[in-house]
Amino acid sequence: MQLKVSAIAVAALGLLFLGACSSGNQTNNQAVNSTGSPAASTATSPSSAPAGAHGGQGGQVVESGPYHLELVTAKEAVGTHIDFFLQKGDNHEPVANAKVTAQVQLPDGSQKSLDMKYDAQGQHYAAILPESNAGEYKVAILSDIGGEKVNGRFSFKQ
């Protein structure tokens, strides 16, 4: 009888040990959820997902609760083209009914606000930043989806 109790105690301790070891493997990034507090993640490097896979466009990705936020920038003759993909759920369904604003901090420290318009064909929000100065640009994307605030922070260099 005592052998069974010892075996159960050893098994229980082993499970506790495994649980303690695995809980440290979580990523700690930040985004802001609908309550305005830090929630999911912020990414400032390109996504490792191939283009088209799970909504991946090859840009910078923030996962915020059930939302997938992705920023893709491209330098153009008239400035910088900014594409923002706002998707929901495991299937990354596009969210077309949000009010999206990009708050951009330019390399000189000045701020610019851009209203992003939804492109139904491309299933993303887009805007042109009429700046092309060399340096780092910091971008806060502020999304309002029917009163729910979903925000992400990104950066890019020119």
Side-chain angles (χ1 to χ4, degrees):
M1 179 74 171
Q2 189 166 357
L3 185 59
K4 283 184 179 180
V5 172
S6 296
I8 291 172
V10 168
L13 286 174
L15 289 173
L16 286 172
F17 178 74
L18 286 174
C21 289
S22 67
S23 67
N25 291 335
Q26 298 174 358
T27 328
N28 185 17
N29 296 317
Q30 287 184 323
V32 178
N33 66 11
S34 60
T35 63
S37 62
S41 62
T42 298
T44 56
S45 60
S47 167
S48 59
H54 300 288
Q57 304 299 319
Q60 299 172 51
V61 173
V62 170
E63 300 292 339
S64 181
Y67 294 99
H68 172 91
L69 291 68
E70 187 166 352
L71 186 77
V72 178
T73 60
K75 191 170 182 176
E76 294 184 352
V78 295
T80 302
H81 185 92
I82 300 174
D83 289 329
F84 176 65
F85 294 83
L86 177 58
Q87 301 165 333
K88 185 175 182 179
D90 292 337
N91 295 334
H92 294 231
E93 294 295 323
V95 176
N97 61 339
K99 181 177 189 241
V100 179
T101 304
Q103 297 286 338
V104 182
Q105 180 179 337
L106 306 175
D108 66 3
S110 63
Q111 301 280 329
K112 186 157 292 234
S113 181
L114 303 170
D115 288 329
M116 301 192 75
K117 303 297 180 203
Y118 190 71
D119 173 8
Q121 184 176 10
Q123 297 183 323
H124 67 281
Y125 295 83
I128 296 288
L129 175 65
E131 307 289 332
S132 58
N133 296 336
E136 182 176 13
Y137 292 76
K138 295 180 182 179
V139 182
I141 299 288
L142 312 174
S143 305
D144 184 326
I145 308 166
E148 181 180 10
K149 307 290 186 209
V150 180
N151 304 326
R153 296 192 178 276
F154 305 89
S155 67
F156 65 93
K157 290 185 180 179
Q158 290 285 19

